[in-house]
Amino acid sequence: MIDTSENKNTQKTVKPQEHTQKQLEGILALAQTGFLQWRKTSIAQRTTSLEYLSNLLLERKREYAELMTQEMGKPISQSLAEIEKCAWVCDFYVKNATRFLADELIQTEADESFISHDPLGVILGIMPWNFPFWQVIRFAAPTLTAGNVVILKHASNVSGCALALDQLFKDAGFPKGCFQTIFTDYDAIEDIISDQRIQGVSLTGSEKAGKSIASIAGKHMIKTVMELGGNNACVIWEDANLDKHMDTIVNARMQNTGQSCIAAKRFIVVDDIYEDFIEKFKEAVQKLIAGEPEDEDTEIGLMARTDLLEGLEVQIRKSVDQGAKVTLGNRSEGSYFEPTILEQVKPGMPVFDEEVFGPVAAVIRAKNRHDSLEMASNSKFGLGTMLFTEDIESARKAIGSIPDGSFFVNEMVKSDPRLPFGGTKSSGYGRELSKEGLLEFVNKKTVYINK
Ligand code: NAP
């Protein structure tokens, strides 16, 4: 039974009843029998279902986009783009999975030796609310295509999206047991991970959730992929072409109303260009259109939950107490938080050290290029760094000094189905997307044959 009600986020969501222990046992049993059938299917059969799924996503684009916007306040234009990106990742695996999963021949003294890629089994996906369709599809499409089956535990403030995704996989023709959604509490999740039918867990979420789930999985020697928080630096060198790249720089922080793991959170600007940067950055941020998430023109929507907004305010207040200066914004109303710029930010302040999940840019002055790179790496997180400069040779030399999962030059850190995506340090481990992501939940089996 489902009620529609206002939840703590002030956005509307559905609250499905939690599954009972007996129902969860039924779901695990169905997943296991589903896996034993699904693993025998050819990759072509699996990608046929994925192609249907991609088509359905595009057919139902507006319906799904409206659902996301309603549940977590994302501007509708960004919700529509998210669904298109989901179709893109499906199409990418439709075209490439056969090649990626093929046996990999390796010359040895054997008559034949190679790596085969066998599925592992039932994989649990624990997913966040910030990109409610994208996070699920980017995990489930490759995981299923490799021959595994999936159980989804989605974030509790996007249960409507979880139900829609469940129906979508059924409608696309994935056989019973391939994709199932559960609604349950954290204790039951621990029991599920402890069940021997679970062979892997992929979590996208906060560092806190990652540590908890990885430690449970570790006790049972279960393979995990952890896609956690980030505190990406956006480094601006003195020769950056600000006029050309300012829209990208602003979007890097403000897309999804600042609620993105890979957003630019710390703007580290070399002294020689600092004043010019602040003037142009402020002007561009002021031009952003804030409004009702349902309006096509809106660029800044609502924060997904008011408790998240309150947390953001605490981070700002403490940083201001330590000497940060509010240059723009810092006002809120309901679950709307105005785009905000803070200057005079230093290590030790929450807006430098912690992940800031909202439309707040922390600007830091660096003495020179060397100082800017040191400051960029001064983070417990390691999802990505971006650098804006016209000096590509020096940017290339900086690659080795960036300890993150990605390094983007004259572009914002973004995910792309063709490229691996993931972090280092407290941002987690493992990779999603590309061939690397497809091979996370496979047994890379060594086969050695003498005839
Ligand atoms: P979250 O609070 O960690 O929740 C993520 C998911 O984990 C939700 O489904 C949540 O369920 C579940 N969860 C949390 N603690 C759990 C526990 N102890 N046991 C079982 N399940 C648990 O994160 P969020 O607020 O939804 O998302 C924002 C965070 O995700 C940010 O830190 C962001 O950077 C990160 N993120 C990372 C990536 C990436 O690719 N690296 C992408 C997107 C977001 P409930 O909703 O029921 O609490």
Side-chain angles (χ1 to χ4, degrees), residues 24 35 37 39 42 56 97 139 150 157 198 208 221-222 230 273 278 295 302 306 326 328 339 360 376 417:
L24 291 173
F35 169 62
Q37 294 303 315
R39 67 184 301 184
S42 66
L56 284 178
F139 149 70
V150 163
N157 57 325
I198 293 289
K208 187 171 167 217
M221 213 50 85
I222 303 287
I273 198 173
I278 277 292
D295 289 349
L302 300 175
T306 46
V326 177
L328 187 75
V360 179

Side-chain angles (χ1 to χ4, degrees), residues 127 129 135 138 153 156 186 204-206 227-229 261 355:
M127 293 292 143
W129 48 264
Q135 304 294 1
R138 84 168 180 184
K153 185 261 174 265
S156 34
Y186 294 176
T204 301
S206 59
E227 295 289 358
L228 310 179
C261 55
E355 179 175 41

Side-chain angles (χ1 to χ4, degrees), residues 126-131 135 138 153-157 184 186 189 203-207 209 212-213 227-230 260-261 265 305 308 355 357 383 421 427 432:
I126 304 177
M127 293 292 143
W129 48 264
N130 63 338
F131 293 93
Q135 304 294 1
R138 84 168 180 184
K153 185 261 174 265
H154 213 330
S156 34
N157 57 325
T184 190
Y186 294 176
I189 296 289
L203 176 126
T204 301
S206 59
E207 182 191 358
S212 167
I213 297 298
E227 295 289 358
L228 310 179
S260 167
C261 55
K265 289 170 185 147
R305 301 196 312 251
L308 298 171
E355 179 175 41
F357 221 57
L383 214 42
F421 181 94
S427 293
E432 288 198 290

Side-chain angles (χ1 to χ4, degrees), residues 154-352:
H154 213 330
S156 34
N157 57 325
V158 289
S159 297
C161 292
L163 289 166
L165 282 156
D166 195 81
Q167 190 60 45
L168 170 67
F169 278 87
K170 288 192 177 79
D171 294 347
F174 282 88
K176 271 194 172 166
C178 277
F179 185 99
Q180 300 180 85
T181 301
I182 54 171
F183 298 98
T184 190
D185 61 21
Y186 294 176
D187 288 342
I189 296 289
E190 177 159 4
D191 293 343
I192 289 169
I193 297 172
S194 313
D195 190 289
Q196 58 180 6
R197 287 165 288 195
I198 293 289
Q199 294 298 315
V201 183
S202 180
L203 176 126
T204 301
S206 59
E207 182 191 358
K208 187 171 167 217
K211 284 185 172 158
S212 167
I213 297 298
S215 65
I216 298 166
K219 273 192 242 160
H220 302 280
M221 213 50 85
I222 303 287
K223 161 90 193 216
T224 51
V225 167
M226 291 286 148
E227 295 289 358
L228 310 179
N231 194 2
N232 289 358
C234 175
V235 177
I236 314 284
W237 280 355
E238 71 290 344
D239 62 346
N241 186 337
L242 296 180
D243 293 329
K244 182 171 171 197
H245 297 299
M246 191 46 80
D247 287 350
T248 304
I249 291 169
V250 170
N251 196 26
R253 171 65 275 196
M254 300 297 173
Q255 70 147 340
N256 212 35
T257 315
Q259 302 166 113
S260 167
C261 55
I262 46 171
K265 289 170 185 147
R266 295 171 301 141
F267 292 81
I268 300 171
V269 185
V270 164
D271 192 44
D272 287 351
I273 198 173
Y274 188 89
E275 302 306 333
D276 195 19
F277 172 81
I278 277 292
E279 190 188 321
K280 290 181 168 142
F281 187 54
K282 193 172 157 189
E283 194 185 315
V285 171
Q286 276 173 318
K287 279 194 194 140
L288 290 169
I289 303 169
E292 293 299 328
E294 296 78 15
D295 289 349
E296 300 281 340
D297 293 338
T298 296
E299 294 169 314
I300 298 288
L302 300 175
M303 300 240 349
R305 301 196 312 251
T306 46
D307 60 306
L308 298 171
L309 184 146
E310 285 155 17
L312 193 66
E313 286 177 329
V314 171
Q315 288 175 310
I316 294 174
R317 199 162 51 245
K318 284 188 180 163
S319 302
V320 168
D321 288 348
Q322 288 176 247
K325 179 184 131 208
V326 177
T327 298
L328 187 75
N330 199 24
R331 280 178 306 189
S332 64
E333 193 184 328
S335 54
Y336 168 70
F337 195 85
E338 196 176 14
T340 295
I341 300 176
L342 296 178
E343 286 183 85
Q344 297 174 18
V345 171
K346 301 229 155 43
M349 295 178 182
V351 296
F352 187 99

